[in-house]
Amino acid sequence: MNFYKYLYQRGNWIFSFGLFSLMLMGCDKNLLDAVPTDRLSENIFWKSQADAELAANALYNDLDGAEIFYSDALTDIAHVNQPFAVDAYIELGTYDASSSRLYNTWSSAYKGIGAANYFLANVGKIEGSRDEALIARFIGEARVLRAYQYIKLAYLFGGVPLVKAPLTLEEGRAVQRADLKEIYDFIDTELELAAASLPESYSSNDIGRITRWAALGLKARSDLYAGRFAAAAKAAKTIIDSKRFELYPLYANLFTYAAENNKEVLLDKQFLENIYTQSVFNLLAPYSQQNGQSTYVPTKALTDSYETSSGLVITDANSGYDPKNPSKNRDPRLALSIFLDGDPLPNGAIFRPAPNSGTADAVGSTYIASTTGFNIKKYIDKKDLANPSKSGLNIMLLRYAEILLTYAEAKIELGEIDGSVYDAINQIRNSRTDVKLPIISNQVNQEQLRQLVRRERTVELAFEGLHLADIRRWKTAEKVVPGKVYGITYQNNNGEAVVVEAASESRVFDAKKHYLWPIPQREINLNPNLKQNPNW
């Protein structure tokens, strides 16, 4: 039984709405003069340990779910399929501080922060008999969930308001941006404190809650983003040395119902089919599959990143790459992550995206069909075909593969290249049953390893919401993002090999300002103390 199924069966599902009402009511104490009939009141809440549990449970709603997918489409590896979508303007560099994507990302993150702050400010009010270790665990969960939001805000916006406690409206209109270092210092401290009070694992109804390892894994991620490589390597190594995690043996099944709660998962957002659902199938599937929306689609830039089965990049003359048959003899993760021409689809049909194929998925057949001829395969489980907008498939937010790659990258940047670095990379490349690439030897130098681990992060973690942060911290976005978007290679009616070019303007990335998003204009209008990022 997963965590969310337990919540629903306990009748606690509606509590998240009650908590949000409490947070709003906390802004104006006059609202408490009458006891409401449609929400929870502070007059009757925060009385028992059960109340603390309910409040802690509600915090999980603010974890990202399907929201992780849009960010990859703002990089070189994916594309916003419909040109009129709000994210398309970010691709084209024509967005500004009024973008709803920026505002929604900012406001949802601070909603999660606000909920955690409210919990931490009130959990001490619990009266009567209480299990102090359990209360400490709830506090640890809240700290981790709050730090998760700050990690996201930091890489997107830079220094942001560091809010550690509930604010009045007046206080909220006066906050200022903290220095980015202060944000990362806070994240580090919070995750270290949380890890000390969290269990190493859960069983039964509590599977899906934050563990000590999730806290340390997020710390490794945050430290890597901050360039604190020694700290990142240390946190990742602690997880590796625990021997509690391993790569799931079949990459093909990793993002399906069959692999839920497996030993590779450190943190996920759990869902419950037809009750607490996500709509990834509807969002990403090819158009022919129950009107899949193809909202974000892979690019040729990504598919070209996958090595050949010989372990060489496709530009190497000895790689065996065939430009007329680009998917032949390639890293198996290419075909396991992306729908390619000839692949079986969930409904039993064959994926035929070529413009001259005459199918619903043909490039140009409709504005919804993929404009690159590629579709994302991760999380497209045929079990969701009948009801694509009500999937119960869990979405992974942190998995062991990332920990291994974080460790390897941090050690490479430190110049501390030893057998453990090669082992971490080679586990990714060669330990799964269905992914067998040549192992990397100790003859590879630091710069070659740097490029290798970056390529491994790109292909291993594609469509998992991490690549935007990567190309920002690597400072490669200005090189890889700008230009046309290309897709499949197909044979036209004259037998010529043609590369699809997505019907869009060229992407733009201005290094002078696009490495940070602007602070949403609505926030600056409310609080002029929030100084805008450079050149916006």
Side-chain angles (χ1 to χ4, degrees):
M1 182 183 297
N2 72 29
F3 180 33
Y4 282 100
K5 185 173 183 180
Y6 170 61
L7 293 187
Y8 181 76
Q9 289 184 345
R10 283 280 304 273
N12 297 343
W13 193 246
I14 61 170
F15 182 74
S16 61
F17 303 102
L19 178 62
F20 186 60
S21 297
L22 280 174
M23 291 164 59
L24 294 178
M25 291 164 63
C27 296
D28 186 348
K29 295 297 183 182
N30 291 330
L31 292 176
L32 297 178
D33 290 343
V35 177
T37 58
D38 62 342
R39 68 197 71 183
L40 295 169
S41 168
E42 287 183 330
N43 290 334
I44 60 174
F45 200 72
W46 300 114
K47 301 297 183 185
S48 69
Q49 185 168 287
D51 290 343
E53 181 179 7
L54 287 169
N57 293 348
L59 300 178
Y60 284 83
N61 291 321
D62 294 310
L63 277 174
D64 289 321
E67 296 85 359
I68 67 171
F69 297 104
Y70 81 84
S71 65
D72 278 355
L74 308 181
T75 74
D76 53 319
I77 69 171
H79 173 55
V80 181
N81 203 47
Q82 281 82 49
F84 46 79
V86 65
D87 294 325
Y89 297 105
I90 301 178
E91 269 196 288
L92 300 176
T94 58
Y95 68 108
D96 58 26
S98 66
S99 167
S100 61
R101 168 60 70 189
L102 276 59
Y103 176 75
N104 291 339
T105 301
W106 175 284
S107 60
S108 65
Y110 274 107
K111 176 179 174 290
I113 290 166
N117 286 341
Y118 182 78
F119 174 88
L120 293 168
N122 287 279
V123 69
K125 297 177 181 178
I126 299 300
E127 303 170 349
S129 176
R130 49 189 276 175
D131 181 338
E132 295 300 335
L134 184 60
I135 297 298
R137 193 197 84 190
F138 292 152
I139 291 172
E141 293 175 60
R143 280 178 161 152
V144 173
L145 292 166
R146 179 172 60 179
Y148 174 90
Q149 302 296 347
Y150 274 118
I151 294 170
K152 180 170 57 178
L153 288 168
Y155 87 77
L156 289 172
F157 297 98
V160 294
L162 183 54
V163 183
K164 305 177 186 179
L167 301 177
T168 65
L169 291 176
E170 292 74 18
E171 289 170 336
R173 292 191 179 108
V175 296
Q176 298 184 29
R177 299 177 65 178
D179 182 78
L180 185 58
K181 178 181 181 300
E182 185 180 356
I183 299 293
Y184 280 122
D185 286 346
F186 175 74
I187 293 168
D188 259 3
T189 300
E190 287 292 284
L191 293 175
E192 286 173 1
L193 287 170
S197 62
L198 289 167
E200 297 190 353
S201 63
Y202 294 96
S203 60
S204 188
N205 299 330
D206 285 322
I207 291 174
R209 302 189 82 103
I210 300 287
T211 65
R212 174 176 185 246
W213 308 113
L216 289 174
L218 289 173
K219 184 179 184 304
R221 177 188 290 178
S222 178
D223 285 329
L224 188 71
Y225 288 4
R228 300 175 178 182
F229 299 121
K234 180 180 179 181
K237 190 65 161 58
T238 301
I239 296 168
I240 294 169
D241 288 346
S242 75
K243 307 294 185 184
R244 285 183 169 271
F245 299 93
E246 60 188 39
L247 298 178
Y248 190 70
L250 287 173
Y251 197 86
N253 290 348
L254 181 57
F255 304 92
T256 68
Y257 287 98
E260 287 192 331
N261 301 315
N262 71 79
K263 293 182 71 173
E264 185 166 344
V265 180
L266 278 82
L267 177 64
D268 61 5
K269 180 144 187 197
Q270 301 215 338
F271 292 90
L272 183 59
E273 190 177 4
N274 296 317
I275 295 171
Y276 183 65
T277 63
Q278 44 88 349
S279 56
V280 171
F281 190 105
N282 182 254
L283 186 76
L284 302 180
Y287 175 64
S288 63
Q289 304 303 293
Q290 284 289 82
N291 292 323
Q293 297 300 299
S294 302
T295 307
Y296 310 115
V297 296
T299 63
K300 185 177 186 293
L302 173 62
T303 62
D304 285 353
S305 297
Y306 292 87
E307 297 175 0
T308 63
S309 55
S310 62
L312 299 174
V313 296
I314 65 171
T315 54
D316 190 309
N318 298 314
S319 68
Y321 173 70
D322 181 359
K324 293 184 178 180
N325 191 2
S327 61
K328 183 180 179 182
N329 297 325
R330 300 293 296 279
D331 178 341
R333 290 171 294 184
L334 170 59
L336 299 177
S337 302
I338 298 170
F339 280 110
L340 304 173
D341 184 59
D343 280 351
L345 291 164
N347 68 355
I350 300 299
F351 186 57
R352 296 294 184 191
N356 55 3
S357 68
T359 69
D361 294 318
V363 173
S365 63
T366 168
Y367 72 94
I368 299 177
S370 172
T371 53
T372 65
F374 297 118
N375 274 93
I376 296 172
K377 187 178 287 186
K378 286 182 177 180
Y379 291 105
I380 304 303
D381 192 310
K382 65 181 180 180
K383 182 179 177 181
D384 290 328
L385 178 66
N387 209 350
S389 63
K390 294 186 177 181
S391 171
L393 185 58
N394 298 342
I395 293 179
M396 281 180 280
L397 302 175
L398 178 64
R399 59 186 178 96
Y400 188 53
E402 181 188 344
I403 300 301
L404 290 170
L405 291 169
T406 293
Y407 175 75
E409 181 178 351
K411 294 282 282 185
I412 291 166
E413 294 302 326
L414 290 167
E416 298 175 358
I417 299 170
D418 56 21
S420 67
V421 174
Y422 292 98
D423 180 66
I425 296 173
N426 286 326
Q427 282 189 60
I428 300 290
R429 293 172 61 85
N430 197 259
S431 67
R432 300 186 195 273
T433 303
D434 54 358
V435 178
K436 295 292 183 184
L437 291 172
I439 63 172
I440 302 303
S441 73
N442 58 11
Q443 302 301 311
V444 182
N445 64 36
Q446 183 184 30
E447 181 55 31
Q448 291 172 322
L449 277 174
R450 178 180 290 120
Q451 298 307 316
L452 174 64
V453 79
R454 290 181 179 185
R455 186 165 63 251
E456 282 296 327
R457 279 187 69 93
T458 300
V459 301
E460 171 71 22
L461 305 174
F463 320 125
E464 297 180 43
L466 300 175
H467 194 57
L468 181 60
D470 285 346
I471 63 173
R472 286 186 173 206
R473 63 190 179 82
W474 294 334
K475 297 300 180 189
T476 59
E478 62 200 85
K479 299 176 183 178
V480 300
V481 171
K484 298 287 186 180
V485 175
Y486 297 100
I488 61 170
T489 300
Y490 73 100
Q491 301 294 316
N492 67 14
N493 294 334
N494 296 321
E496 302 165 327
V498 179
V499 176
V500 162
E501 180 181 316
S504 69
E505 300 175 40
S506 291
R507 285 170 154 175
V508 172
F509 189 94
D510 183 351
K512 295 179 181 178
K513 65 178 184 178
H514 287 156
Y515 275 108
L516 291 176
W517 278 353
I519 305 300
Q521 190 61 45
R522 283 195 238 180
E523 297 299 317
I524 291 179
N525 291 344
L526 289 169
N527 178 10
N529 292 310
L530 295 177
K531 303 303 181 184
Q532 189 54 276
N533 278 324
N535 300 312
W536 285 101

